[in-house]
């Protein structure tokens, strides 16, 4: 018996079953598959019923990102058991607490326009980053108070690095 | 006549120039920042010297150090490429003062074209049309601007004198909304640049960006190499260029008009070497001088492929004092050339810059494909310089063939480790409006969606299968690691038991 | 008219044909052996099907299976590339019998040109000069051969009828040494092929290998695309090709003569599609028909770059029944094209084949450079197929520029993991005789040394420094490992002691 | 004090001393050196007094192979102590015993023309290998007797794999 997965793209669910090395079903339809990695990279070559495709597939933020013919798909893959557990736990997680302000790109901090305990309004510019001669203004995603400010002008930051938090007014 | 050139630049253009020198049998000297020890221009040059830290102003903008290295290594000329010091008249002058050839125009021409107001005045005097507006007329008050706007005719654009990047810019469609928009523009300009002065410019509706490549030698010969169209832009950054222009098309008269006007503009400043006159062209073929780039352009290869002229090689010949071998009659465009700028930026996340190590790279090859690049597999993209990592240029017998070839080349291009805008180009090449040549400079921002929804049904299914197979494989592997660890643990236990038995 | 093509080949030529189809907007079907699942032609095609095990006769030579796949996938034509089934008249016939287009000549033309004796007779009848000799005259006895040799004129070559690869071959310079050489040749041929029959061929001294590309459509139009020179050979394997030929040079009359004789030879067999007539040319511009290759040649790109004609695209158009868009008047050669065949073989160890995984690959790019290849970084070269892994082709305004460009491209080319003959090509491009175009088909074997001794003094010093630095680094690293192990050991001891203390 | 090496190319000795990270001497002359590996490959970029060179350097059969501008140098690198020890041991090692017959290239064994205990003369063809459509005949390097024959027709062999030995007549 094969392994069953529930795979979701843009709220649309696909039931994918891996039968053996060369067969998968999707929503009950059987496909002949020859699947291999290229150059030990996250680049995959697939022959699906003879049709040759290639995609760049990598994990990011709990999803699988599939870059296929210039189109990026964010895909959730769960095995049946996982899916059941999630259903039992019920609903989406509600965000609480402070909101982290993350660097959307790697770069240099050009200026920091806020300080700890400062009150900001949604849309206020907080930090200006520069990378590859392109400046990016990070704005407050909500009203609140700045805390745990961790960068200053002149420093380098990585992509997704948390620069500070914006929390409920204390 | 010199036989050794210093290239005061980095990235693909430094590599491009080194190649031209090598193919002329000339020696090359590269300069590099601490971030660029592994860069291709350092590897390909005959000699390479460290300038300083990564930040441009401490390395690639250190004209003094560059001239010092040039003198020490005995080069005869310096090629500035584009960007960095390429359009700095003071640097060009310093190079000449050091007794070296500056491979570019005279400092006076750089200076004349570098000041927008002077440039507009100079070319207007030579009979070249300029975009109607008040730029260069000094800092006018609101009352004067309201009068001027009516003379220019609506719609007009309010632009910050100190400006750039769209800050302090407002489009005015009729007189009555103008006072409020002027106040807003001045306030924004003041906040952004500490200078609230603004000027007016006529809005060219449906404008296309068409530019003309010119070449001039030291013996008074000036020719043009036809036009390029660069209307595919995003935030005033060119993304795709082509030669000829699909808008000019078969209209040889219009082509010749643009060309001879460009030659006149160049002659107005006694121009020498390669340069580009940029025009805005409206749908009625009215054209307006925008600016002159007094240097090699990023997009020069499309002209090279369409005309067969090696522009960089010609630049070096000219700066060595040679007479151009080409006359205007020798220049014809054959077929069609397209260029896609491959930038390290993520088209799926707002085109934000992407840095990191390129872990795998497979460039497209084969007939009609040219790649100009400064990166390779194993090279790290840093945040210090601009995001252009490669130019993919194709030639076809006609535009349709060039587009098909570009599609196959984009499909073949594999870059793993950093995000690139290749997906953007793939989508663009599939767009029927692009294929039909129907676009203006606002096309990408206003009419070209980066949302992907209109694909056929089978593609998401394929993505679902791929993601599931990769997820499955990754689960199997982690299961194996767990199993191996289990065994390791028991081995370890077993060894422990065995050791105890030995005692 | 069909829109889907099966490519019955592998490697660079399969990729080349897939690209041509894609650029024509046509779909492609690849076939592959078990050794080639990761090959580029499988990755680039729209569809790909397994043929069988690695060995050619169980995969790429399985014409029956290939036709079966073609029918199953609904293709309209099969392109055989070169090698494998390309010159098998029976396969071409089977393709036609299956109701598919064979993208190549008619089976009758393949058969006529495939039998050397018939080929010689056919073209001789059409007034095309052939190399004087007794081939095709049946199996002659020694007495007859001695008479024939005197008629042909010394020196003559004794060749094995069943032969190939130089086995059973002897050069005879005068009559008196001939009987002994005949005996030796027959003995060797008998041993090698089980067939002691031999024939005679005139030795063309200082011969150059010059061939003419021809194209013919189904409507009776036959044109030639000028000549290629392929005199740089090693063991009858072409290594470097160029168009035009430096020997033909500016002699347009001679070029036209060769061209029209080639057209006549093609017409003699009612030739359709692309083909090549090979000539041997002596220093007095006497030329002799050698053979006709009734298929696409490895070296077709040099003609493409020199004439601007896309031969593979033309092949497909012709087989779709289209009339050629080109007439003889449209064909002119512009500039100069050179091709180096990059083989996976070790020039420093007798050019023996080299296999293994390519761990790093950086192809040359930039202006005037074309790479046709079927490999990439991470791909494994297996011993099953021939050693050609890439073709590096450059174009220059003239031969000197093409040579300079080839030098820089070879210098840029990095292939790590398998040995290649790039060093051979580098040395060749540096040879003054090659640069001057002074060579014949024996140049590489007789006059071109692969011994490297004549370099300047500083190069060995540099090699010494490099080797010492790498050795030093490697020593330092192993010292570190030892130190780490020492610490590990002591850690382990310490843990042991700690464990004892616990008990 | 730097580390001293005696480096030999074609019987010519060079005394190379590594002074520090950026300086080496060769035969007493000081050079400024900036040396780094490329793409984590055995490809090295060196700036020697500013001159940029690149080479492929790898170890093979106790020598360092340096492929530099199309020229292959086989280089012996010994530190001084090693060199002294070798000098003390005296002269070259004389080859004794059976001579191994190694595959000069990877490939398929087409035919094996000898068997164990067979007497061969120098120059006799022993094994025929094929790789990439190229045949290679392995000939006896000396008169002797074949032993430990380890391959048969149809098998694949790796480069440098020992196929058999030829020893003194027993």
């Amino acid at each position: 018996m094969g392994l069953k997965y529930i795979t979701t793209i843009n709220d649309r669910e696909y039931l994918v079953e891996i039968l053996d090395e060369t067969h998968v079903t999707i929503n009950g339809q059987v496909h002949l598959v020859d699947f291999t990695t290229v150059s030990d990279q996250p680049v995959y070559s697939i022959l699906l019923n003879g049709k040759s495709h290639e995609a760049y597939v990598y994990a990011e933020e709990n999803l699988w990102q599939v870059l296929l013919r210039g189109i990026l798909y964010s895909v959730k893959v769960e095995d049946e058991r996982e899916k059941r557990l999630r259903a039992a736990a019920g609903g989406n997680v509600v965000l609480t607490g402070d909101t982290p302000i993350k660097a959307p790109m790697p770069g240099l901090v050009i200026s920091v326009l806020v300080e700890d305990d400062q009150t900001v309004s949604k849309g206020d510019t907080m930090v200006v980053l520069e990378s590859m001669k392109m400046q990016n203004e990070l704005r407050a995603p909500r009203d609140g108070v700045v805390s745990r400010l961790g960068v200053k002008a002149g420093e380098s930051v990585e992509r997704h690095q948390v620069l500070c938090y914006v929390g409920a007014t204390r | 006549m010199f036989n050794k050139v210093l290239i005061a630049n980095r990235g693909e253009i430094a590599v491009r120039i080194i190649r031209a020198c090598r193919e002329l049998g000339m020696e090359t000297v590269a300069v590099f920042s601490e971030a660029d020890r592994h860069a291709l221009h350092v590897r390909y040059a005959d000699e390479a010297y460290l300038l300083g830290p990564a930040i441009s102003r401490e390395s690639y903008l250190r004209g003094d150090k560059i001239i010092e290295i040039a003198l020490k290594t005995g080069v005869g000329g310096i090629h500035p490429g584009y960007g960095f010091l390429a359009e700095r008249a003071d640097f060009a002058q310093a190079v000449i003062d050091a007794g070296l050839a500056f491979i570019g125009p005279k400092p006076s021409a750089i200076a004349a074209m570098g000041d927008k107001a002077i440039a507009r005045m100079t070319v207007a005097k030579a009979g070249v049309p300029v975009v109607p507006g008040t730029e260069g007329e000094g800092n006018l008050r609101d009352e004067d601007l309201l009068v001027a706007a009516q003379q220019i005719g609506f719609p007009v654009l309010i632009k910050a004198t100190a400006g750039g990047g769209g800050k302090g810019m407002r489009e005015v469609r009729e007189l009555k909304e103008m006072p409020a928009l002027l106040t807003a523009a001045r306030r924004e300009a003041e906040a952004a640049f500490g200078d609230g002065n603004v000027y007016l410019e006529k809005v060219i509706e449906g404008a296309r960006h068409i530019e003309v490549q010119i070449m001039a030698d030291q013996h008074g010969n000036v020719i043009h190499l036809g036009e390029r169209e660069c209307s595919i832009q995003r935030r005033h950054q060119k993304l795709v260029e082509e030669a000829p222009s699909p808008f000019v098309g078969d209209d040889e008269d219009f082509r010749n008009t643009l060309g001879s006007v460009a030659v006149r503009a160049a002659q107005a400043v006694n121009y020498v070497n390669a340069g580009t006159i940029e025009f805005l062209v409206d749908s009625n073929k009215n054209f307006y001088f925008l600016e002159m780039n007094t240097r090699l352009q990023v997009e020069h290869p499309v002209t090279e492929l369409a005309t067969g002229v090696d522009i960089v090689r010609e630049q070096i010949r000219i700066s060595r004092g040679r007479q151009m071998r080409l006359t205007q009659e020798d220049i014809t465009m054959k077929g069609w050339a397209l260029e896609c700028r491959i930038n390290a930026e993520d088209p799926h996340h707002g085109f934000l810059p992407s840095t990191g190590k390129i872990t795998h790279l497979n460039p497209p090859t084969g007939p009609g494909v040219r790649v100009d690049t400064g990166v390779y597999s194993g090279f790290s993209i840093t945040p210090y310089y601009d995001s252009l990592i490669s130019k993919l240029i194709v030639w076809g017998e006609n535009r349709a063939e060039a587009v098909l070839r570009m599609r196959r080349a984009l499909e073949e291009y594999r870059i793993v480790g950093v995000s690139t805008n290749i997906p953007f180009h793939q989508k663009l090449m599939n767009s029927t409006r692009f294929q039909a040549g129907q676009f203006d400079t606002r096309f990408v921002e206003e009419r070209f969606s980066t949302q992907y929804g209109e694909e056929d049904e089978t593609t998401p299914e394929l993505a679902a299968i791929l993601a599931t197979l990769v997820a499955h494989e990754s689960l199997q592997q982690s299961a194996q690691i767990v199993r191996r660890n289990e065994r390791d643990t028991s081995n370890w236990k077993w060894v422990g038991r065995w050791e105890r038995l030995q005692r």
Side-chain angles (χ1 to χ4, degrees), chain A, chain B:
Chain A
M1 202 210 66
L3 274 146
K4 285 180 186 160
Y5 294 89
I6 290 135
T7 298
T8 314
I9 300 181
N10 289 333
D11 296 330
R12 183 157 168 191
E13 286 190 357
Y14 300 86
L15 179 67
V16 182
E17 190 172 359
I18 293 167
L19 298 178
D20 58 32
E21 291 280 291
T22 54
H23 293 85
V24 300
T25 72
I26 181 160
N27 294 339
Q29 206 182 340
V30 182
H31 295 285
L32 189 64
V33 62
D34 178 343
F35 174 71
T36 182
T37 182
V38 171
S39 298
D40 305 322
Q41 294 290 326
V43 173
Y44 296 88
S45 164
I46 189 173
L47 302 179
L48 188 69
N49 306 316
K51 300 260 189 294
S52 178
H53 308 281
E54 213 163 288
Y56 179 32
V57 185
Y58 57 98
E60 199 173 84
E61 305 193 340
N62 299 318
L63 293 176
W64 291 97
Q65 308 293 324
V66 180
L67 182 57
L68 178 63
R69 288 191 220 125
I71 305 173
L72 187 72
Y73 297 92
S74 291
V75 188
K76 186 161 62 189
V77 181
E78 296 165 295
D79 69 23
E80 276 193 318
R81 201 175 52 96
E82 246 183 300
K83 172 82 177 173
R84 273 199 309 274
L85 285 175
R86 195 167 63 96
N92 287 321
V93 182
V94 178
L95 278 173
T96 53
D98 296 349
T99 310
I101 308 301
K102 293 181 186 177
M105 62 183 192
L108 302 170
V109 177
I110 294 301
S111 55
V112 178
L113 306 170
V114 293
E115 47 191 54
D116 272 343
D117 300 326
Q118 183 178 330
T119 303
V120 291
S121 305
K122 184 175 171 180
D124 284 357
T125 301
M126 302 172 71
V127 177
V128 181
L129 288 182
E130 188 180 283
S131 188
M132 296 175 168
K133 292 159 61 180
M134 183 175 171
Q135 292 204 352
N136 196 267
E137 297 181 350
L138 302 191
R139 293 165 188 278
R142 54 179 281 195
D143 295 349
V145 171
V146 176
S147 64
R148 284 167 283 170
L149 181 65
V151 289
K152 46 182 192 290
E155 288 183 348
S156 297
V157 294
E158 298 297 314
R159 188 177 172 209
H160 293 326
Q161 183 177 327
V162 175
L163 310 181
C164 65
Y165 291 82
V166 176
T169 313
R170 261 164 265 187
Chain B
M1 232 166 35
F2 56 92
N3 274 306
K4 192 170 179 179
V5 172
L6 183 146
I7 297 96
N9 217 305
R10 65 178 300 283
E12 67 86 17
I13 197 64
V15 172
R16 169 72 186 90
I17 298 163
I18 289 169
R19 283 171 171 160
C21 292
R22 186 142 298 174
E23 290 170 7
L24 283 165
M26 300 176 77
E27 282 187 277
T28 53
V29 176
V31 288
F32 63 100
S33 77
E34 282 168 7
D36 275 343
R37 170 62 183 89
H38 290 88
L40 219 46
H41 73 289
V42 176
R43 296 173 54 194
Y44 285 175
D46 293 310
E47 299 176 43
Y49 298 91
L50 181 68
L51 281 172
I55 303 286
S56 301
R57 67 170 175 277
E58 298 183 44
S59 50
Y60 296 106
L61 292 174
R62 286 290 302 270
D64 55 337
K65 266 203 171 172
I66 290 170
I67 291 173
E68 193 187 309
I69 291 166
L71 292 172
K72 195 184 71 187
T73 54
V75 306
I78 294 183
H79 197 307
Y82 54 69
F84 296 126
L85 299 165
E87 287 175 290
R88 294 259 295 258
D90 55 347
F91 176 67
Q93 189 59 55
V95 170
I96 293 165
D97 292 345
L100 305 171
F102 179 78
I103 303 176
K106 282 178 277 192
S108 57
I110 300 176
M113 288 300 184
D115 182 307
K116 276 210 159 191
I118 298 178
R120 281 165 61 91
M121 242 166 3
T122 312
V123 303
K125 217 185 291 172
V128 176
V130 297
V131 181
T134 67
E135 198 185 9
E137 292 181 17
N139 297 325
L140 304 182
R141 290 170 307 161
D142 282 9
E143 303 89 273
D144 304 324
L145 290 172
L146 286 164
V147 175
Q150 284 166 286
Q151 287 163 351
I152 295 165
F154 292 96
V156 296
L157 212 56
I158 305 170
K159 280 178 148 182
T161 305
K167 289 265 161 35
M169 200 185 281
R170 290 291 185 284
E171 191 173 320
V172 191
R173 307 210 65 90
E174 49 183 342
L175 184 62
K176 70 170 187 225
E177 63 177 21
M178 191 162 161
L181 290 171
L182 267 175
T183 310
R186 284 190 192 276
R187 193 173 49 224
E188 197 171 289
E190 178 72 43
F193 315 113
D195 177 356
N197 283 306
V198 297
Y199 65 93
L200 300 182
E201 197 176 273
K202 187 176 171 62
V203 174
I204 312 296
E205 301 206 74
R208 307 185 65 128
H209 177 116
I210 297 177
E211 59 187 33
V212 176
Q213 175 73 50
I214 71 107
M215 299 284 313
D217 65 18
Q218 300 176 16
H219 307 276
N221 303 302
V222 188
I223 62 170
H224 69 86
L225 305 185
E227 84 285 359
R228 292 186 285 260
E229 173 147 7
C230 320
S231 300
I232 299 295
Q233 306 182 346
R234 195 184 154 274
R235 296 188 176 184
H236 304 281
Q237 285 285 340
K238 296 168 186 167
L239 289 169
V240 173
E241 298 100 345
E242 49 191 307
S245 153
F247 180 76
V248 177
D250 299 333
D251 189 343
E252 287 297 329
D253 287 345
F254 186 47
R255 174 165 295 123
N256 290 333
T257 303
L258 284 176
S260 50
V261 166
V263 166
R264 220 184 303 147
Q267 282 166 333
V269 290
N270 295 314
Y271 201 80
V272 168
N273 217 294
T276 298
I277 316 285
E278 298 189 332
F279 295 106
L280 280 184
V281 181
D282 72 15
S283 50
N284 297 316
K285 299 195 178 170
N286 298 309
F287 58 95
Y288 306 96
F289 171 82
L290 202 58
E291 62 174 325
M292 177 167 194
N293 293 132
T294 55
R295 52 164 168 86
L296 187 64
Q297 298 276 89
V298 174
E299 60 269 25
H300 74 276
V302 291
T303 299
E304 294 188 324
L305 293 189
T307 62
V309 176
D310 189 321
I311 294 173
V312 180
R313 210 184 279 178
E314 249 2 272
Q315 280 196 298
I316 297 169
R317 283 199 179 114
I318 287 169
S319 69
R320 290 169 102 190
R322 296 262 184 91
Q323 191 143 350
M324 270 195 290
R325 295 179 302 181
L326 299 159
T327 64
Q328 193 62 57
E329 288 66 47
D330 298 326
I331 307 298
T332 46
M333 289 210 255
K334 188 174 171 266
W336 211 279
L338 274 178
E339 173 178 283
C340 287
R341 296 193 187 190
I342 311 299
N343 295 334
E345 53 189 33
D346 189 344
H348 301 103
H349 295 96
F351 290 90
L352 286 176
S354 173
T355 61
K357 187 174 181 169
I358 297 175
T359 55
H360 181 70
L361 190 146
N362 198 41
T365 58
V369 172
R370 167 173 164 189
V371 175
D372 276 18
T373 185
V375 306
Y376 56 91
S377 179
F379 185 72
S380 288
I381 310 297
T382 65
Y384 303 107
Y385 315 109
D386 79 34
S387 60
L388 180 74
I389 57 172
S390 169
K391 299 184 314 203
L392 174 55
I393 315 124
V394 304
W395 181 88
E397 285 174 39
N398 51 51
R399 191 166 186 272
E401 285 187 11
V403 172
L404 278 167
R405 184 163 274 169
M406 184 60 90
R407 279 167 67 161
R408 79 101 175 138
L410 288 166
E411 212 172 306
E412 288 179 16
Y413 215 151
R414 293 271 171 284
I415 301 178
V416 181
V418 292
S419 298
T420 74
N421 62 350
I422 290 174
F424 163 84
H425 290 298
Q426 288 185 284
K427 188 159 170 68
L428 183 72
M429 294 299 138
N430 285 334
S431 129
T432 48
R433 285 184 68 98
F434 178 79
Q435 285 170 8
Q438 290 164 355
F439 49 81
D440 60 26
T441 53
R442 296 183 174 193
F443 174 69
V444 172
E445 278 159 59
E446 291 180 0
R447 290 172 161 271
F448 185 71
S449 151
T450 41
Q451 294 303 316
Y452 303 105
E454 68 274 37
E455 288 302 310
D456 60 294
E457 267 302 282
T458 59
T459 314
E461 263 200 11
L462 178 58
I465 291 173
L466 277 161
T468 310
L469 286 167
V470 175
H472 176 70
E473 201 171 65
S474 127
L475 274 174
Q476 302 287 96
Q477 271 165 7
S478 43
Q480 264 177 12
I481 289 165
V482 170
R483 276 200 296 278
R484 209 180 303 134
N485 283 346
E486 276 166 8
R487 202 189 52 206
D488 284 357
T489 316
S490 63
N491 269 352
W492 177 84
K493 278 183 190 157
W494 189 84
V495 170
R497 211 178 306 137
W498 182 82
E499 279 185 342
R500 274 198 297 276
L501 287 174
Q502 298 297 303
R503 261 175 234 127

